[in-house]
Amino acid sequence: MKKLLFSVTMFCLLLLSVSCDKDEKMLFGAKETTGILTVHSVSYSSHEAIEGVSVEIIGVSGVQGTDNGGITKFELEVGDYEVKVSKDGYLAYKKKVSIGVNNGESDLPIVGNVIEDFEMYPLTASFKGNVIIDRQDDVNYAGNAVVIAKAKDIEFISPMKTTTSTNGTYSFTVVPEGLALELEAYLIENGLAYKGSGNVSPLKEKQEAIARTIVLSSEGNVFDKDIVIEPKTITDKLTIFFNMPVEVIKVNVKANGMPIDVKENLSNEKRQLSISPINSDLEENSNWWKSTTYNYNVKVKNSSGKLLTITDEFRIMQYGEITPITASFSRDKGLTWSKQENASYYKIYRSKTKNGSYEFYKKVNVNYYQIDSDWFDFDDFDNYESYKYIKVIGVNDEMEGNLNSTTETYINLGIL
């Protein structure tokens, strides 16, 4: 009887231990340190799933593709992350996602799983407009003004940027449909900085729109930064323009979180501040480093003693921008194109019609810029209903050429 009572007691204690341990996990999440981020890629218009979207947790994961339900998953520690999504023919962008702690009144973390919709925007639209400059009583069209298009809550992987012609006109030819855009324009003229802004309402499929005219003006009575020009190459300077004379209080720059030495120059009647790094490597003296995130914090004051702080970050890409490729096809050489210095390899797309939908066809190594005629699959190109047009784009680890702005090449097998 005693043995039986002892066995029952021990069994109850064991159940209580297991129950407490289970409840403690459920209530306090003592052993839960990671969460699941589910990325759901969908059409912005219909919210239907989009398969084959490349998804990357920047600096953390490799690239994963979404399945036929538009889904891919990542297991992540608690923290803030930048998620990049891309697919040929759609806007490539990134936005921030957090794996948070939902701990109520407890000191122990309960990590919540996150499902995040990423709307995909086809690059089918275009728009154009004008920029004018207001100089007191005189208004003129602003030639050579820089116009930048941005979105409110997402960051484009490839910047949307152009320059006005001499008569102040600008155009963007490859634009995402369904996404409202914010326009910024600036012009530096005779040491003075002018700026203006505008917006573009969400565009429809293949819409060619006229944007509102952007008016540039100088806000001389407001103490603010006019323009910040961030370096695009290793030799560019970080340049900040102010709308009135300033005194520099401090300049702090960090490279991947580590403070670095910089040299600064205040010029143009104390309204233009130029900043460049001081490197210990003599071969790269005063050059920025590629693939490095720089955070800068600049504090200045005006003659009235009012303080202004400018804080932001920039990154010099490892590779430069990939320019559109114009390929040619002939009897003797087959398919040829010019070498792209910033391309790691090339992608070839094909279509049955000149303005039709182009699908991926073949990948070509960077060492080749000429494809013999024998390389083509004649079954793909030799009859009226088959593919007759191709496009070639360059690709590297950071970006790829714009398929929509690439000139098509007609494949005429009759010349062979």
Side-chain angles (χ1 to χ4, degrees), residues 6 35 49 108 114 191 195-196 203 241 289 299 302-303 312 390 398 412:
F6 178 78
L108 298 174
V114 176
K195 65 178 180 179
L203 302 175
F241 294 86
W289 297 313
K299 180 174 287 188
N302 64 5
S303 57
D312 211 330
I390 63 96
E398 295 174 325
N412 183 5

Side-chain angles (χ1 to χ4, degrees), residues 319-337:
Y319 308 95
E321 184 177 356
I322 295 178
T323 57
I325 294 172
T326 301
S328 61
F329 186 78
S330 68
R331 179 185 182 90
D332 297 332
K333 296 182 179 180
L335 182 69
T336 60
W337 61 90

Side-chain angles (χ1 to χ4, degrees), residues 174-346:
V174 183
V175 179
E177 61 177 82
L179 184 65
L181 299 175
E182 299 173 345
L183 303 181
E184 298 177 359
Y186 63 82
L187 173 68
I188 302 170
E189 184 180 70
N190 299 324
L192 297 178
Y194 298 86
K195 65 178 180 179
S197 61
N199 57 75
V200 178
S201 299
L203 302 175
K204 298 179 181 179
E205 181 181 2
K206 298 182 180 180
Q207 180 180 0
E208 297 180 358
I210 304 296
R212 182 181 302 173
T213 296
I214 301 174
V215 180
L216 302 182
S217 61
S218 178
E219 300 174 327
N221 296 323
V222 179
F223 181 45
D224 195 2
K225 63 181 186 299
D226 274 309
I227 299 170
V228 177
I229 301 179
E230 296 176 344
K232 299 300 181 185
T233 70
I234 61 173
T235 57
D236 291 343
K237 290 180 171 57
L238 170 62
T239 305
I240 305 173
F241 294 86
F242 303 94
N243 52 30
M244 61 178 59
V246 300
E247 176 187 344
V248 178
I249 305 301
K250 71 172 183 178
V251 175
N252 289 333
V253 180
K254 294 183 178 180
N256 289 339
M258 298 297 294
I260 65 169
D261 294 326
V262 296
K263 58 182 180 181
E264 58 199 62
N265 179 42
L266 189 62
S267 60
N268 287 345
E269 299 180 349
K270 297 184 178 181
R271 293 179 56 180
Q272 177 180 335
L273 176 63
S274 300
I275 303 168
S276 57
I278 300 175
N279 305 143
S280 58
D281 188 343
L282 296 180
E283 294 182 359
E284 288 189 306
N285 190 34
S286 299
N287 286 351
W288 306 102
W289 297 313
K290 294 181 179 180
S291 301
T292 299
T293 299
Y294 289 93
N295 302 90
Y296 58 90
N297 182 288
V298 176
K299 180 174 287 188
V300 299
K301 69 176 182 179
N302 64 5
S303 57
S304 300
K306 184 178 178 181
L307 295 176
L308 175 67
T309 301
I310 304 100
T311 302
D312 211 330
E313 66 179 38
F314 63 90
R315 184 179 178 87
I316 308 294
M317 293 190 296
Q318 176 68 31
Y319 308 95
E321 184 177 356
I322 295 178
T323 57
I325 294 172
T326 301
S328 61
F329 186 78
S330 68
R331 179 185 182 90
D332 297 332
K333 296 182 179 180
L335 182 69
T336 60
W337 61 90
S338 299
K339 177 181 179 181
Q340 298 293 302
E341 294 295 336
N342 298 318
S344 301
Y345 59 93
Y346 301 92

